[in-house]
Amino acid sequence: EPVIIPILRAGLGLSDGLKEVLTHASFGHIGVARDEETKRPVEYLVKLPHDIATRDVIVVDPMLATGHSAEYALDILIREGVARDRIKLMILVAAPEGVEVLQKKYADIPIFTAALDEGLDKNCFILPGLGDAGDRLFGTE
């Protein structure tokens, strides 16, 4: 039985659809917010099943921009004992820069994405992108 781990908050938008397909899956959550100055993730929540090290894991996040939040989430899972060959990353839209960051450290962890966009702007947002996925999902700014 897999574990679905959305990177909060935007990853929640992919979780419901996965739960419909993977009806026996359980959930964990990794919450990170982007520090707007450093463009690096700041952790605010990690809740994982107690048996995470023995489970297949699907990490979900709609956007892979710099790759730092996904890298941070993967670091947590590896630290918790999840074998790399048990982890998959599911993304809707990725930037080449984010893919490159993950390939340097986690080339053996597959990234499944629907689209690879052009790149990042000066604020590290995907071009052309879809805007902030969390804001779109929850109607916030």
Side-chain angles (χ1 to χ4, degrees), residues 16-31:
D16 289 341
L18 277 177
K19 184 64 175 171
E20 287 182 29
V21 175
L22 303 171
T23 57
H24 296 294
S26 59
F27 283 86
H29 295 90
I30 295 177

Side-chain angles (χ1 to χ4, degrees), residues 76-91:
I76 290 169
L77 295 173
I78 300 299
R79 183 181 70 224
E80 292 296 318
V82 180
R84 291 172 180 241
D85 65 346
R86 297 189 83 131
I87 302 171
K88 312 282 185 283
L89 185 59
M90 188 177 109
I91 305 293

